[in-house]
């Protein structure tokens, strides 16, 4: 089975105060601003080649607006359109969005708005394409190179997991299982990385976090220093997940949305042959927080 | 409000400290507050009118009596008690 989704292309979340939060995203997290259009700011990491991967929209609440996955080819979008029809999933065709082409928009059983698209303006990253340096000078804040994954909550995780596996053909890298074997939480992938999307139990449409790549131990501690210098609220870390082996800092934006630095240097790469790793419910502590070996009070209860 | 509670040597349940998650919700019994900026998804208008607020965002405008949610717990930290009664934390 070829993989047809190249990446988690966009996460859009809500902000209670766009001016305040944009300052945080640009100067503390250190994303690059593509444009601010009315109540929405479009941003990305410095190494991302399309116009944007993260959008922040002012609202009376926090939480997720939508997640969007970019297909490998435009034919893959047609493929999924056919597939949504076959499975009887209602969807809307969005002819275009800001600097983006046609998208299919539908509601996942988890209560989230999900989009599939292929075309977005190719703007290049912050480096030249001829004889580039390894990284651009003049970055601010943590300055992650790119968006990595998102984790969301679902009232019936097994149903949501099955939807992403069956209809959208995500593969399972790891899962947390109840004693009877049913999945309580799952880590799902399309590009060869531990996950593009993860699902844990919680309210419908809940946003647990969006993660940005911070891929060396030096960069991880530097990120924690920057968060503390700016008095950002760190929820957990620096630490390591048992699941995915990724290094982590969980922290909150000023509207209370959780973000993560996720370490690609310890997280493994996937191969189409890889079989899912299972974590038993009694080992949820080390599965989530490998070093403390216990869940903290916020992991399964605090999200937007 | 939350900062004042934590600064007094007590602890209560809280989460994001950004007005987004609703974990630190409390209810005014008497007194006046400014609600600050908070997510309407976790503090709907009807809850607000019956006195609920998010302690991480609200500011006290007078002396207050507040009620906690059933899930919350007010605890005075032992080391703080010791610090205040003996001048130095004792084992």
């Amino acid at each position: 089975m070829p993989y047809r989704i190249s990446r988690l292309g966009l996460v859009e979340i809500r902000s209670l105060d766009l001016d305040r939060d944009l300052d945080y995203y640009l100067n503390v997290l250190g994303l690059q601003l593509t444009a601010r259009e009315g109540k929405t700011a479009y941003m990305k990491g410095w190494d991302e080649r399309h116009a944007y991967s993260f959008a922040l929209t002012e609202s009376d609440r926090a939480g997720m607006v939508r997640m969007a996955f970019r297909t490998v080819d435009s034919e893959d979008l047609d493929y999924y359109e056919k597939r949504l029809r076959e499975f009887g999933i209602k969807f809307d065709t969005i002819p275009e969005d800001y600097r983006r082409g046609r998208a299919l928009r539908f509601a996942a059983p988890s209560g989230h708005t999900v989009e599939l698209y292929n075309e977005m303006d190719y703007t290049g990253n912050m480096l030249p394409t001829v004889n580039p340096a390894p990284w651009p000078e003049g970055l601010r804040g943590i300055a992650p190179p790119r968006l990595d994954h998102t984790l969301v909550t679902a009232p019936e995780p097994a149903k949501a997991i099955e939807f992403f596996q069956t209809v959208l053909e995500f593969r399972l890298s790891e899962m947390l299982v109840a004693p009877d074997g049913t999945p309580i939480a799952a880590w799902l992938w399309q590009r060869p990385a531990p996950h593009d999307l993860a699902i844990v139990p919680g309210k419908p449409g809940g946003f647990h976090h969006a993660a940005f790549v911070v891929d060396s131990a030096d960069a991880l501690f530097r990120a924690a220093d920057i968060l503390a210098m700016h008095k950002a609220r760190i929820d957990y870390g620096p630490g390591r997940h048992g699941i995915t082996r990724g290094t982590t800092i969980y922290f909150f934006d000023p509207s209370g949305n959780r973000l993560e630095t996720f370490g690609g240097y310890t997280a493994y790469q996937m191969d189409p042959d890889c079989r899912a790793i299972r974590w038993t419910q009694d080992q949820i502590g080390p599965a989530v927080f490998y070093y403390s070996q216990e869940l903290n009070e916020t992991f399964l209860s605090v999200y937007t | 409000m939350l900062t004042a509670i934590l600064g007094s040597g007590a602890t209560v349940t809280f989460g994001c400290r950004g007005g987004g998650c609703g974990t630190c919700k409390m209810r005014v019994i008497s007194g006046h507050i400014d609600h600050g900026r908070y997510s309407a998804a976790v503090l709907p208008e009807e809850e607000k009118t019956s006195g609920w607020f998010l302690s991480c965002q609200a500011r006290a405008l007078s002396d207050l009596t507040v009620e906690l949610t059933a899930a919350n717990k007010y605890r005075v930290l032992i080391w703080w008690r010791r610090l205040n009664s003996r001048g130095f934390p004792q084992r």
Side-chain angles (χ1 to χ4, degrees), chain A residues 17-275:
Chain A
D17 181 337
L18 188 57
D19 288 332
R20 176 194 68 183
D21 293 3
L22 191 54
D23 179 64
Y24 177 89
Y25 277 94
L26 300 182
N27 296 310
V28 182
L29 181 55
L31 296 184
Q32 309 302 314
L33 180 66
T34 303
R36 185 171 168 170
E37 298 272 315
K39 289 190 163 188
T40 300
Y42 297 91
M43 293 169 267
K44 63 174 183 168
W46 66 262
D47 204 17
E48 292 181 288
R49 293 173 172 84
H50 291 91
Y52 59 96
S53 64
F54 191 80
L56 196 62
T57 296
E58 190 162 83
S59 171
D60 68 345
R61 59 200 60 211
M64 181 179 258
V65 178
R66 56 180 167 156
M67 63 179 113
F69 295 95
R70 182 169 182 272
T71 63
V72 174
D73 285 312
S74 59
E75 291 78 25
D76 296 322
L77 195 57
D78 302 333
Y79 171 85
Y80 280 120
E81 183 166 355
K82 224 170 87 188
R83 214 165 160 80
L84 289 170
R85 283 216 177 85
E86 279 168 16
F87 280 89
I89 313 292
K90 275 190 207 154
F91 64 93
D92 292 322
T93 302
I94 313 296
E96 61 181 317
D97 197 350
Y98 178 71
R99 301 186 75 167
R100 197 182 75 170
R102 180 171 72 102
L104 310 175
R105 179 183 293 171
F106 48 93
S110 55
H112 298 86
T113 299
V114 179
E115 293 174 343
L116 299 172
Y117 71 97
N118 178 253
E119 288 166 23
M120 182 184 275
D121 282 1
Y122 191 93
T123 52
N125 61 10
M126 285 180 72
L127 299 169
T129 52
V130 178
N131 309 328
W135 45 268
E137 288 188 301
L139 297 172
R140 302 175 71 106
I142 296 170
R146 63 187 180 275
L147 175 70
D148 188 81
H149 66 264
T150 189
L151 192 159
V152 298
T153 65
E156 292 179 276
K159 267 193 188 166
I161 294 160
E162 198 200 344
F163 174 84
F164 282 98
Q165 277 187 283
T166 314
V167 182
L168 301 183
E169 300 178 322
F170 276 74
R171 298 154 203 250
L172 206 52
S173 59
E174 308 207 18
M175 59 180 162
L176 185 71
V177 294
D180 68 1
T182 53
I184 302 164
W187 284 254
L188 299 149
W189 64 285
Q190 279 262 358
R191 72 186 164 138
H195 59 326
D196 297 294
L197 170 69
I199 298 168
V200 298
K203 70 181 180 189
F207 174 66
H208 192 281
H209 68 262
F212 294 87
V213 171
V214 164
D215 59 7
S216 72
D218 285 350
L220 177 73
F221 283 97
R222 184 176 169 277
D225 289 343
I226 290 168
L227 291 169
M229 283 175 201
H230 289 272
K231 309 234 176 289
R233 172 148 157 69
I234 294 177
D235 180 35
Y236 183 86
R240 182 193 292 282
H241 296 305
I243 293 172
T244 73
R245 292 185 214 150
T247 59
T248 179
I249 305 169
Y250 280 143
F251 55 104
F252 294 105
D253 80 4
S255 288
N257 296 300
R258 191 189 276 97
L259 301 170
E260 183 185 28
T261 69
F262 184 75
Y265 73 104
T266 44
Y268 47 78
Q269 298 297 299
M270 296 302 287
D271 179 276
D273 269 353
C274 290
R275 292 174 198 175

